[in-house]
Amino acid sequence: MAYVITEPCIDTKDGACTVACPVDCIYEGGRMFYIQPEECINCGLCLSVCPVDAILWDEEMPTDR
Ligand code: SF4
Ligand code: SF4
């Protein structure tokens, strides 16, 4: 169980979540950002700041993402 960044982040990549994350566990990839699940403390702060709602709790992930 963890927070996961999904497709809406692709090419949006504004990095707002990386600024909000208190443990700096969000890393930049080629076209989007990724959460390192081993470092994430599941605080949910990144989720509340994402402008495109790309961050989801993986148990609530729709099957099309
Ligand atoms: S849930 Fe918290 S610790 Fe995990 S990636 Fe988001 S801001 Fe960082
Ligand atoms: S705030 Fe949302 S769109 Fe911006 S980098 Fe993070 S996951 Fe991607």
Side-chain angles (χ1 to χ4, degrees):
M1 294 185 293
Y3 285 99
V4 180
I5 298 177
T6 62
E7 285 94 341
C9 180
I10 296 172
D11 297 332
T12 302
K13 270 187 78 180
D14 65 338
C17 54
T18 65
V19 177
C21 181
V23 294
D24 292 330
C25 68
I26 303 177
Y27 297 92
E28 186 165 7
R31 292 183 65 201
M32 59 179 280
F33 281 79
Y34 298 89
I35 294 172
Q36 167 54 257
E38 259 112 66
E39 297 171 23
C40 175
I41 57 171
N42 299 329
C43 67
L45 281 173
C46 54
L47 179 112
S48 63
V49 300
C50 180
V52 291
D53 294 327
I55 304 174
L56 301 176
W57 182 246
D58 65 356
E59 291 197 337
E60 293 168 3
M61 181 89 59
T63 51
D64 62 348
R65 285 209 191 167

